[in-house]
């Protein structure tokens, strides 16, 4: 068995690298949104032309990024959505809902401080992890039937 895993959400920490590094040796392919913040913000106007109003600048970028996001989630076996401690990730909430609506296996990743505000998002998930290493162990178990240790 192999897995296609989409890593969505917070882009300000190295959680993606922790998961991909920890999953080395497993038959897993990882995909993610564009994690270069400036490229993600400016892709719409860079490709489709400048906008005078910030709303339309952001709107163009969001729509172009949605092409990649929707494809990545649609192709995924598992979607991992990370909610970080410092910034609001509204797009991550959308990605979690979209993945759940498509019937994707969903793993939510956040610290205990987000248990209450994300209770509805967590309810849609098959697992809620606090650490990237727990996500790795879930992937390992799904692929090998082996418990940690």
């Amino acid at each position: 068995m192999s897995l296609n895993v989409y890593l969505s959400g917070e882009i300000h920490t190295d959680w993606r690298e922790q998961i991909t590094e920890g999953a080395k040796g497993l038959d897993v392919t990882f995909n993610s949104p564009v994690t270069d913040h400036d490229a993600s913000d400016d892709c719409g106007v860079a490709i489709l032309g400048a906008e005078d109003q910030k709303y339309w600048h952001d709107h163009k970028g969001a729509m172009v990024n949605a092409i990649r996001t929707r494809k990545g989630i649609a192709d995924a076996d598992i979607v991992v959505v990370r909610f970080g401690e410092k910034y609001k990730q509204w797009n991550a909430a959308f990605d979690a809902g979209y993945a759940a609506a498509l019937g994707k296996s969903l793993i939510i990743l956040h610290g205990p401080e987000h248990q209450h505000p994300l209770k509805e998002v967590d309810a849609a998930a098959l697992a809620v992890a606090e650490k990237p290493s727990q996500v790795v162990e879930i992937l390992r178990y799904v692929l090998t039937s082996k418990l940690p240790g």
Side-chain angles (χ1 to χ4, degrees):
M1 178 186 327
S2 64
L3 294 173
N4 185 358
V5 177
Y6 189 79
L7 302 174
S8 174
E10 182 261 313
I11 64 169
H12 301 284
T13 63
D14 69 345
W15 70 275
R16 283 182 182 83
E17 291 79 13
Q18 290 179 50
I19 291 172
T20 56
E21 186 66 28
K24 283 194 174 170
L26 297 176
D27 194 1
V28 181
T29 301
F30 292 100
N31 291 297
S32 68
V34 173
T35 58
D36 176 324
H37 203 174
D38 291 335
S40 177
D41 285 349
D42 297 335
C43 65
V45 295
I47 297 167
L48 301 172
E51 290 292 340
D52 293 334
Q53 296 179 13
K54 182 70 171 144
Y55 173 84
W56 294 112
H57 176 112
D58 290 345
H59 184 75
K60 279 185 176 179
M63 300 306 286
V64 170
N65 282 314
I67 296 167
R68 179 185 178 103
T69 300
R70 289 180 184 183
K71 173 72 172 149
I73 291 172
D75 290 349
D77 300 306
I78 298 173
V79 177
V80 179
V81 182
R82 163 84 173 142
F83 291 87
E85 295 139 18
K86 201 171 182 183
Y87 300 94
K88 305 285 188 244
Q89 291 93 40
W90 308 117
N91 58 325
F94 172 82
D95 292 355
Y98 183 63
L102 293 177
K104 300 297 176 174
S105 294
L106 182 60
I107 301 170
I108 301 297
L109 178 60
H110 64 71
E113 69 279 2
H114 285 99
Q115 286 175 352
H116 180 73
L118 291 174
K119 63 187 175 294
E120 287 83 6
V121 173
D122 289 351
L126 295 179
V128 179
E130 291 186 7
K131 300 181 279 190
S133 60
Q134 293 172 316
V135 174
V136 172
E137 291 305 326
I138 291 169
L139 298 176
R140 186 177 323 284
Y141 176 76
V142 168
L143 288 168
T144 69
S145 304
K146 293 182 181 168
L147 294 174

